[in-house]
């Protein structure tokens, strides 16, 4: 499976869903699903909605990177506010103009720099409230 369209169709059929069922589960139109599968649209801004509906790894669905199935995470410690949620893939992608594949294609140093900037902005905003 070399394309997003092939991975989407494979995951949908593996989950025994038709296009209408997937569209409803992802909050999209059946036409959008058809367009993705027929390669009229090469990428989806709704990759996280599709991945969540199909219960697959969003990076695998979009880019073919990593395992198809979502990684299982251990439950987060309730005493650690910085701990990751138990299912990180259920979090909506926070950016409207940056696709997950674009972010994941960055180097580890670039990703760390972005994370540091977001943390600094979040901390500075907490002081303003």
């Amino acid at each position: 499976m070399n394309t997003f369209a092939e991975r989407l169709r494979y995951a949908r059929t593996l989950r025994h869903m038709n296009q209408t069922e997937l569209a409803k589960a992802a909050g999209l139109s059946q036409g959008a699903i058809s367009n993705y599968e027929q390669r009229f649209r090469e990428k989806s801004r709704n990759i996280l909605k599709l991945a969540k509906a199909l219960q697959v790894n969003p990076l695998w669905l979009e880019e073919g990177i990593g395992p198809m199935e979502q990684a299982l995470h251990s439950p987060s410690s309730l005493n650690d506010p910085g701990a990751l949620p138990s299912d990180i893939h259920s979090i909506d992608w926070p950016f409207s103009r940056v696709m997950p594949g674009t972010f994941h294609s960055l180097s580890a140093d670039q990703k760390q720099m972005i994370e540091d900037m977001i943390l600094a902005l979040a901390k500075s905003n907490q002081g303003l409230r």
Side-chain angles (χ1 to χ4, degrees):
M1 291 172 283
N2 296 321
T3 67
F4 166 67
E6 291 170 341
R7 289 185 295 276
L8 179 64
R9 186 178 306 111
Y10 174 77
R12 180 180 59 77
T13 56
L14 187 68
R15 301 297 189 231
H16 304 288
M17 298 173 88
N18 61 36
Q19 289 182 351
T20 303
E21 292 167 333
L22 175 56
K24 184 176 180 179
L28 303 172
S29 70
Q30 182 275 327
I33 304 300
S34 177
N35 285 340
Y36 295 138
E37 290 188 2
Q38 293 180 34
R39 299 183 190 173
F40 293 135
R41 294 185 191 172
E42 291 296 318
K43 300 242 178 181
S44 172
R45 297 198 86 141
N46 298 298
I47 197 74
L48 292 177
K49 290 180 181 180
L50 290 167
K52 184 176 181 179
L54 293 166
Q55 299 177 356
V56 298
N57 177 341
L59 191 54
W60 172 85
L61 184 59
E62 184 180 37
E63 301 288 333
I65 298 171
M68 178 183 136
E69 299 296 329
Q70 292 182 356
L72 297 176
H73 299 278
S74 60
S76 299
S77 167
L78 296 175
N79 298 326
D80 182 2
L84 293 175
S86 61
D87 184 1
I88 197 166
H89 296 300
S90 69
I91 298 172
D92 290 330
W93 184 250
F95 307 108
S96 62
R97 297 179 303 166
V98 178
M99 299 298 290
T102 302
F103 175 79
H104 292 295
S105 69
L106 299 173
S107 71
D109 288 340
Q110 291 169 320
K111 289 177 191 175
Q112 185 64 52
M113 181 177 64
I114 291 169
E115 185 176 347
D116 291 344
M117 289 173 31
I118 291 171
L119 284 172
L121 284 170
K123 287 178 182 178
S124 70
N125 283 339
Q126 288 174 352
L128 297 176
R129 292 185 183 159

